[in-house]
Amino acid sequence: MIKITGAVTFFLFRIGQSYTDIAEISLYGTPGSRDGRFCDTSQYFDASSLICKSCPSNTIVDTRYKDGYGNYNHCRCAIGWRKTFNDCSGDKSGTCSPISCSNCGTSSFTDNSACVTCGSSTLGLDSSTLECSCSFPNQAIVETDQVGNYLPKKECVDCPAGSKVIITDSFIAGVQYYKDFYSCQRCPDPRMTMSYSNQVYSCSCPPEYTLVGVSSIGPQSCLLTTAASSFLLVQSKAVVVQYNGALLTKSISSQTMLHYFTAAAAACTSNNGPDGVAGCQTLANLCVLQLFDITSQACAAHLAIVAARGAGGYENGVINWVYQNPWLFFALPPAAGAAQPVCLSDAYRAYLYLATYKFLFTVAVYTMNGTFAGFQTVDTLFSYCGRSPPYTGLGGGSSSSTIYQILGYSAHSNFSCELNSLVGKQQLFYELYLYDRKTDKSVPVPVRIVNLQSGGVPVNSKYPKFLCDSSDIMVRRFFLADTISGIASTSSSSSSLQAIRYATYMNLEIALSKTIAGHIYPPVLTIYYNETIPPSTVPDEFEIVDITFNVDYTMNMDNFKATLITFFIIVMVFTGLLFFLRMYYWNMRNTRLSTNFTAGVDAGIVNAKSAFEFALLAMHTWVMAFFPFTVAVAWYFFLFFKIETSISILMPPQYHIYRSSSPYFLFTTNLHVMAFFQFAYVCVMVARQCNADLFFIDWEPARSRPDSAVKGGQTPQHVSVWRSILVANEWAEMQTLRKTNIKFTLFMLGFLMVAQDLQYNGTFYPVLSDKSPGEFNVLLRFANTTFFWLVLAYGQYVLKYLGYEQFVVEPPEQLFIDFCTIAKISVIVLDEKYHGYYLHCRSPHQYAEGTMSELVEMLHKEEAGLTSDRSLEGAPPDVQSFQIFLSGECRAAFDKVYVTLAGAEASATSVNESRARAAKARAGPGNKGSSLTGGVWLGQINFVPTDKVVRAWKELTVFLQEFIENNFGKPGLRRVIREPTYYEKLFYAGPNLTIPEQPSVFFTDRDLYYTTVMFLGREMDLLLLNILSYSLFDLWLNSTITSVLLCYLLDYSIAFVRRSWGQATISRKTLIDRRFLI
């Protein structure tokens, strides 16, 4: 077993048929704490064995050669030893050393090529190091002449004034120096003088100069006191950096600001050479680190220099870009109102085509000290921070998407970042450009820093109305992470990082020109910085932060909004007119003037009932008007955004869609309003359908059978109730029957959206054929799903209407009328007080009950035309369905008879409930009861009528039969039949029966609108609820599968309530025991 100190367990090897021992080898493959090295300074790293080894005797590590981690690669002969090369060509074992070292007895050259003695100018040989001695640190050893030839002996030479030999590794004036007996080294500033006292090196400036800079940050320098004096006076203010992040609010005296400010400001002000250019760039970087706060000393100094040099002209014809200074602000001084001309100037003059035009963004890169590091393409620059394994997929990095470079492809990316990875990286600054192929020039991209303040007040909003607001201050330079301005002094000799700034939100917005087709405005980059304490001082959960980078292709919506408002007003006017029209006809249908005979009949007075009805009509009218309007708007954007070949429409950015400032606010609000309005309307519709008055009129006469025991020889038989039970079952089955199959619709919708990837039609990508996953646009997603909803629903309807019900089977509503006619049972259903439907199903045959042969014979006679017409007397031929409008007198007479039945039903219901509770108590808590008792909700109690109820029901049946046959003599109790006009059918209007003493009116119902009292005739309202509920779930959850499931559950719940409650109503209204409703 071999164990070498380290961290990684190695492998199990198999050689031949035997196994070696498990080698638990610790590999030095991870940088340690020695500034990236993992071998000691006295060791070298053997790459073949992946371990650190000590050098053989008489050798030392060769400090001239290191690997990427700072480890020494091999050994060399020590000073005083001569190197000779060995011939190892015949060695097969690999143990032959390519070099060998032999003792010189004196010193040797530094490359160990030969032995050498010490000259007369030296102090002789140091026996401990075998090196020649000089008067260090004022003298240096030399072993070659000026052209590089070795001298016969090593000699000592005096160092020039101000320089010294470094005899021990030292950190001097911000620079790390290493021991070297062979050279004289100077301070970082040539004006400095290096001195050595008490074994300590130091650098000092001449009397007329001032030492500036912080050694822990970088090299110090000397400045003329006269040039630096004005900046030294404000240096204490210039070093203050204010942090206002969510996790950090404090002021820091920045060592970075202290190090750079005075030197940069003085150099930029007084020096016109390269140092002046570097100083101006550094001063600009300090202003950027202050987030362009014009009250900061760095920005104030920059602006003062720009203002002073502005009279001399501008660089590249750009105002505020002056000689030797970078261009930071778009306005001087930065002021409100300057942003609009910048954002709304046309940048491109060429007509652009979608999916073929690719943008090329570049950045000019600068280091902290003002050095221009060149240009580079943006690509994944903004995905600047990542995660360490095994979570690299959650972070940014070079593998991030760059699809945003294609015109029209908006892209939103979110990734997590380990703040540790930012610390220690080189501080870089960027200026963003967009390459213009038309002019072969780069267009500068304005930058909006959300954190930018003016007078302590933020001026740039995170989400501007369009590109930028009029009050915005636009700048040029930015950084992605700041890990240097937060360095503060912790003692007289050390400093530490106390704050980090990082770009947590970046948004690049590219907009179409409002005035010139095919042109775009200059893109605008918005950056928001967050500020926090360094990772080493926070818990682990705060070391991972979320970063957002969005690219939005958009357009100015002002013209569209103006047009939309115009159409909105038109739709509102239409909605208002339609509402008042519907309200008028509802009021006319439900208003009857009172007479002595009709005392208590509604007189059109506005009360709580009518107010509720008006509100319900208003909600439903809103949905009827605004649903097609909303769909039309969504389809408009979808059509021109997804199918266009040249750029004409782009979608607005999608942020905070529930805020009033969002361009999607009206859509999302209206979608919520329509969905809840329609849900409320359907709930009331279900309640009214379940509470509608339902009556079966059995026209079957009682047959007589021969009986010699009675006078006349005939005994009348009772009429069977089974025909009524069968009709009631058919009616119950039709309650939740629909024109379309919601299960099929939802299944196909899920299949098309998910399995066929058609849901990605709703992404921000402008090409319809591109089904790549991406962020969904709420308006496009609504347009996409609504289209398939309508195609699937109306496709089923058309196939059923034109195919199945034309050639295979008759519609269920017609089959029900035929069935009732054979059963000789008419149906009256009243959905309003004065309105309802009558199905005249009085068969022309004498009897409905009989044998199979009798039934077949009757059908053959009717088919041959040997019987009278099925229609009601006075009605057109073959019309059996009628829409009825009751007069006030008829309703009053009906109520007078019905009140007896209602009172008897109430008494019977109370008795049935008492029986059910008693039966349930006897069954015990663990027994759900039998079919004789049932449940206790949604009408589950079986209604068993009493004799009183039966007598009242017979009386009401006789009244209805007399009314249908028009046997009453009073005008108000009679009826007339007429055809409705197209206008009356379109607006659900009826005759004006508000004046007393008018007969009731029967409209012929050729379209079988009686199905409006069940789901079959309410397909449009139910389909609207399905679409709106699905769209709302999809908006909330952004998941097709979940939305399909929730939509189905909602539809199933409504159908369940309608079915259960409806069966209870049928049982109560027709006196048929619910146990017979299968």
Side-chain angles (χ1 to χ4, degrees):
M1 184 77 69
I2 305 173
K3 185 173 179 63
I4 306 175
T5 307
V8 180
T9 308
F10 209 51
F11 311 104
L12 176 65
F13 296 95
R14 180 175 180 178
I15 302 177
Q17 298 298 319
S18 62
Y19 291 89
T20 64
D21 291 337
I22 296 178
E24 201 172 287
I25 304 176
S26 296
L27 306 178
Y28 293 93
T30 304
S33 59
R34 305 182 187 92
D35 300 326
R37 297 192 304 270
F38 42 84
C39 291
D40 291 334
T41 55
S42 61
Q43 295 178 314
Y44 74 98
F45 181 68
D46 185 359
S48 62
S49 60
L50 301 180
I51 59 175
C52 298
K53 294 182 177 180
S54 298
C55 290
S57 59
N58 303 326
T59 62
I60 58 176
V61 292
D62 193 343
T63 59
R64 296 170 297 179
Y65 305 100
K66 298 180 181 179
D67 61 16
Y69 290 113
N71 302 295
Y72 302 124
N73 290 332
H74 50 267
C75 300
R76 54 170 288 187
C77 295
I79 295 296
W81 294 76
R82 181 174 177 271
K83 176 178 65 177
T84 57
F85 293 96
N86 300 322
D87 183 10
C88 296
S89 59
D91 177 56
K92 304 298 182 182
S93 63
T95 58
C96 174
S97 176
I99 63 171
S100 59
C101 301
S102 56
N103 193 347
C104 290
T106 60
S107 184
S108 67
F109 292 118
T110 53
D111 62 356
N112 305 105
S113 60
C115 298
V116 65
T117 59
C118 298
S120 59
S121 60
T122 66
L123 300 179
L125 181 68
D126 186 343
S127 59
S128 61
T129 62
L130 297 180
E131 184 61 274
C132 298
S133 295
C134 294
S135 298
F136 304 125
N138 298 317
Q139 289 183 323
I141 303 174
V142 293
E143 61 180 9
T144 61
D145 58 19
Q146 293 180 348
V147 295
N149 297 318
Y150 282 114
L151 298 175
K153 296 181 180 180
K154 288 186 178 182
E155 303 291 346
C156 293
V157 295
D158 294 332
C159 289
S163 63
K164 297 291 181 183
V165 172
I166 306 301
I167 60 176
T168 181
D169 292 351
S170 302
F171 187 76
I172 312 168
V175 177
Q176 179 65 48
Y177 291 84
Y178 296 95
K179 179 178 67 173
D180 185 2
F181 297 113
Y182 290 82
S183 65
C184 298
Q185 303 189 51
R186 291 188 175 276
C187 294
D189 191 321
R191 292 178 286 262
M192 289 181 174
T193 299
M194 183 179 290
S195 58
Y196 181 78
S197 177
N198 297 325
Q199 298 184 344
V200 175
Y201 291 91
S202 62
C203 290
S204 59
C205 295
E208 66 274 18
Y209 286 83
T210 300
L211 180 67
V212 295
V214 179
S215 61
S216 60
I217 301 299
Q220 294 176 300
S221 61
C222 297
L223 289 180
L224 276 171
T225 304
T226 55
S229 58
S230 60
F231 300 107
L232 290 172
L233 292 176
V234 297
Q235 183 173 257
S236 60
K237 297 180 180 179
V239 301
V240 177
V241 180
Q242 180 65 40
Y243 292 87
N244 298 305
L247 300 176
L248 179 65
T249 302
K250 65 185 297 186
S251 296
I252 293 178
S253 294
S254 172
Q255 295 293 287
T256 302
M257 293 291 176
L258 180 62
H259 177 73
Y260 287 106
F261 172 71
T262 302
C268 183
T269 303
S270 58
N271 195 313
N272 292 328
D275 291 343
V277 175
C280 291
Q281 293 288 353
T282 304
L283 183 63
N285 291 339
L286 295 178
C287 181
V288 176
L289 292 177
Q290 291 282 12
L291 298 184
F292 298 92
D293 184 356
I294 60 176
T295 62
S296 67
Q297 294 300 320
C299 293
H302 169 79
L303 293 173
I305 295 171
V306 171
R309 296 182 182 178
Y314 300 106
E315 298 289 339
N316 300 314
V318 177
I319 298 177
N320 306 330
W321 196 346
V322 299
Y323 176 68
Q324 286 193 336
N325 270 260
W327 178 24
L328 287 190
F329 293 94
F330 277 91
L332 182 65
Q340 291 293 338
V342 174
C343 298
L344 303 182
S345 61
D346 294 326
Y348 278 84
R349 299 293 184 267
Y351 202 75
L352 308 179
Y353 291 88
L354 290 170
T356 59
Y357 194 93
K358 296 179 176 60
F359 286 113
L360 177 61
F361 289 95
T362 61
V363 287
V365 186
Y366 299 87
T367 61
M368 182 63 230
N369 64 2
T371 301
F372 174 63
F375 287 96
Q376 70 179 60
T377 57
V378 171
D379 296 337
T380 59
L381 173 69
F382 293 104
S383 302
Y384 65 94
C385 185
R387 296 283 301 276
S388 58
Y391 305 108
T392 53
L394 301 177
S398 58
S399 61
S400 301
S401 173
T402 56
I403 197 172
Y404 68 88
Q405 295 180 356
I406 303 177
L407 176 62
Y409 275 65
S410 296
H412 297 172
S413 61
N414 296 279
F415 55 92
S416 56
C417 163
E418 291 182 4
L419 291 180
N420 316 43
S421 64
L422 301 177
V423 179
K425 285 187 175 181
Q426 183 181 19
Q427 183 66 49
L428 298 176
F429 299 85
Y430 306 95
E431 292 176 356
L432 184 62
Y433 293 90
L434 172 60
Y435 177 69
D436 189 346
R437 291 179 173 86
K438 178 70 175 179
T439 60
D440 195 26
K441 294 182 179 179
S442 294
V443 178
V445 175
V447 180
R448 298 173 64 256
I449 305 297
V450 179
N451 311 71
L452 190 150
Q453 296 185 355
S454 179
V457 179
V459 294
N460 296 343
S461 63
K462 191 173 184 180
Y463 305 104
K465 182 179 180 182
F466 177 68
L467 286 179
C468 59
D469 297 325
S470 59
S471 61
D472 286 347
I473 295 178
M474 313 299 290
V475 297
R476 287 287 299 122
R477 189 168 294 188
F478 65 93
F479 59 86
L480 296 176
D482 169 19
T483 58
I484 61 173
S485 67
I487 299 176
S489 176
T490 56
S491 65
S492 59
S493 59
S494 63
S495 58
S496 67
L497 181 61
Q498 297 185 9
I500 290 178
R501 274 197 185 109
Y502 60 94
T504 185
Y505 170 83
M506 297 158 287
N507 183 76
L508 183 61
E509 190 169 358
I510 306 169
L512 285 180
S513 171
K514 181 180 178 181
T515 56
I516 308 176
H519 291 205
I520 67 170
Y521 295 121
V524 175
L525 176 64
T526 299
I527 300 178
Y528 174 75
Y529 296 104
N530 202 359
E531 298 158 342
T532 183
I533 53 181
S536 59
T537 60
V538 298
D540 291 341
E541 59 267 20
F542 291 105
E543 293 186 358
I544 308 300
V545 296
D546 293 325
I547 296 176
T548 299
F549 172 55
N550 300 329
V551 178
D552 290 312
Y553 290 87
T554 183
M555 61 181 293
N556 190 297
M557 302 297 292
D558 290 343
N559 292 338
F560 177 80
K561 286 182 180 178
T563 306
L564 186 66
I565 290 175
T566 302
F567 281 101
F568 179 81
I569 293 174
I570 294 174
V571 176
M572 281 295 297
V573 172
F574 171 78
T575 304
L577 292 176
L578 182 60
F579 164 68
F580 283 112
L581 191 63
R582 296 181 69 190
M583 184 178 67
Y584 169 76
Y585 285 121
W586 179 89
N587 190 61
M588 189 172 66
R589 288 197 313 271
N590 291 273
T591 299
R592 301 293 184 267
L593 296 180
S594 177
T595 64
N596 292 333
F597 181 73
T598 61
V601 174
D602 299 281
I605 301 174
V606 177
N607 50 30
K609 177 183 177 182
S610 60
F612 174 79
E613 187 66 32
F614 294 160
L616 192 66
L617 285 175
M619 291 190 295
H620 189 233
T621 305
W622 180 279
V623 176
M624 290 175 61
F626 277 93
F627 177 77
F629 175 72
T630 305
V631 170
V633 173
W635 285 1
Y636 167 81
F637 274 100
F638 187 91
L639 180 65
F640 288 97
F641 178 71
K642 284 288 186 177
I643 306 180
E644 61 182 344
T645 56
S646 60
I647 182 170
S648 60
I649 286 182
L650 292 174
M651 301 303 297
Q654 184 173 284
Y655 303 111
H656 302 289
I657 57 177
Y658 298 109
R659 291 184 179 177
S660 59
S661 58
S662 170
Y664 298 94
F665 174 74
L666 290 179
F667 166 73
T668 55
T669 302
N670 188 43
L671 182 59
H672 281 78
V673 169
M674 290 192 298
F676 286 112
F677 277 6
Q678 188 65 13
F679 177 73
Y681 181 81
V682 170
C683 288
V684 175
M685 179 194 77
V686 169
R688 288 181 174 175
Q689 287 184 354
C690 293
N691 285 308
D693 289 326
L694 177 67
F695 305 98
F696 293 158
I697 303 175
D698 193 345
W699 299 100
E700 180 76 1
R703 281 191 177 186
S704 299
R705 60 181 177 86
D707 190 350
S708 59
V710 298
K711 185 178 180 179
Q714 297 288 330
T715 299
Q717 292 181 332
H718 294 289
V719 177
S720 174
V721 74
W722 284 107
R723 288 175 297 104
S724 298
I725 293 176
L726 292 175
V727 170
N729 271 280
E730 291 300 320
W731 182 267
E733 289 180 7
M734 292 178 62
Q735 300 305 295
T736 56
L737 193 64
R738 291 181 58 175
K739 292 288 187 182
T740 61
N741 189 315
I742 185 63
K743 295 180 182 178
F744 173 81
T745 303
L746 289 174
F747 172 80
M748 288 302 300
L749 184 68
F751 173 78
L752 293 173
M753 293 295 105
V754 179
Q756 300 301 313
D757 287 336
L758 293 182
Q759 61 178 327
Y760 296 116
N761 289 341
T763 62
F764 275 97
Y765 301 157
V767 181
L768 186 61
S769 59
D770 190 346
K771 299 298 188 295
S772 303
E775 183 183 6
F776 292 107
N777 178 278
V778 293
L779 190 62
L780 298 179
R781 190 173 173 89
F782 174 78
N784 185 46
T785 56
T786 303
F787 172 78
F788 285 103
W789 261 106
L790 296 177
V791 167
L792 292 171
Y794 283 102
Q796 293 179 67
Y797 183 83
V798 170
L799 289 175
K800 182 177 289 187
Y801 180 77
L802 297 180
Y804 184 72
E805 293 181 352
Q806 293 291 331
F807 304 104
V808 181
V809 66
E810 290 188 359
E813 55 268 32
Q814 182 61 54
L815 287 176
F816 178 74
I817 293 178
D818 293 340
F819 178 76
C820 291
T821 302
I822 298 299
K824 213 168 186 175
I825 295 178
S826 295
V827 180
I828 291 181
V829 56
L830 298 177
D831 57 345
E832 292 180 358
K833 187 172 183 178
Y834 301 101
H835 176 268
Y837 296 91
Y838 170 62
L839 304 182
H840 183 66
C841 302
R842 190 172 185 178
S843 172
H845 309 289
Q846 184 177 5
Y847 297 104
E849 297 179 357
T851 64
M852 177 60 70
S853 60
E854 292 175 334
L855 176 61
V856 172
E857 183 182 358
M858 287 189 295
L859 293 177
H860 285 168
K861 285 183 178 180
E862 187 173 4
E863 185 179 359
L866 301 178
T867 61
S868 59
D869 187 71
R870 288 184 176 187
S871 183
L872 184 62
E873 182 182 354
D878 295 326
V879 175
Q880 293 182 261
S881 178
F882 300 90
Q883 186 179 183
I884 59 178
F885 298 89
L886 300 179
S887 64
E889 293 82 359
C890 182
R891 182 68 201 196
F894 172 83
D895 290 342
K896 185 176 180 181
V897 178
Y898 184 74
V899 70
T900 304
L901 176 61
E905 283 182 344
S907 177
T909 300
S910 177
V911 172
N912 287 325
E913 289 178 350
S914 299
R915 290 174 179 173
R917 285 192 290 269
K920 187 174 182 179
R922 289 193 300 270
N927 195 323
K928 295 183 179 180
S930 67
S931 62
L932 297 175
T933 59
V936 294
W937 77 288
L938 280 180
Q940 292 294 317
I941 298 175
N942 293 313
F943 181 79
V944 181
T946 62
D947 292 339
K948 184 178 179 180
V949 171
V950 174
R951 288 194 300 270
W953 176 77
K954 288 181 178 180
E955 182 181 354
L956 180 60
T957 301
V958 172
F959 171 80
L960 294 176
Q961 287 177 334
E962 294 294 320
F963 172 67
I964 295 300
E965 293 184 327
N966 215 15
N967 291 334
F968 292 111
K970 294 181 180 180
L973 297 181
R974 295 186 64 80
R975 59 155 177 84
V976 294
I977 300 175
R978 71 175 177 86
E979 295 278 0
T981 65
Y982 179 79
Y983 176 84
E984 288 172 331
K985 290 195 295 184
L986 179 64
F987 292 100
Y988 198 47
N992 188 353
L993 299 179
T994 57
I995 301 175
E997 301 300 327
Q998 292 190 84
S1000 299
V1001 178
F1002 280 32
F1003 279 176
T1004 57
D1005 181 21
R1006 299 180 184 274
D1007 297 319
L1008 305 183
Y1009 285 143
Y1010 79 89
T1011 53
T1012 56
V1013 297
M1014 55 188 72
F1015 280 3
L1016 194 60
R1018 295 286 191 166
E1019 181 63 34
M1020 181 59 69
D1021 289 319
L1022 294 170
L1023 180 60
L1024 280 176
L1025 178 62
N1026 293 148
I1027 295 176
L1028 291 172
S1029 61
Y1030 171 88
S1031 300
L1032 192 60
F1033 294 142
D1034 202 34
L1035 178 66
W1036 289 345
L1037 305 173
N1038 201 28
S1039 170
T1040 298
I1041 297 300
T1042 308
S1043 301
V1044 166
L1045 177 60
L1046 292 177
C1047 181
Y1048 172 74
L1049 292 177
L1050 177 62
D1051 183 82
Y1052 177 83
S1053 301
I1054 294 174
F1056 175 79
V1057 172
R1058 176 67 181 89
R1059 183 168 51 252
S1060 302
W1061 196 355
Q1063 287 182 354
T1065 300
I1066 294 172
S1067 176
R1068 187 174 68 254
K1069 298 291 184 179
T1070 63
L1071 306 187
I1072 295 175
D1073 196 303
R1074 192 155 185 243
R1075 288 168 290 184
F1076 294 109
L1077 299 178
I1078 303 174

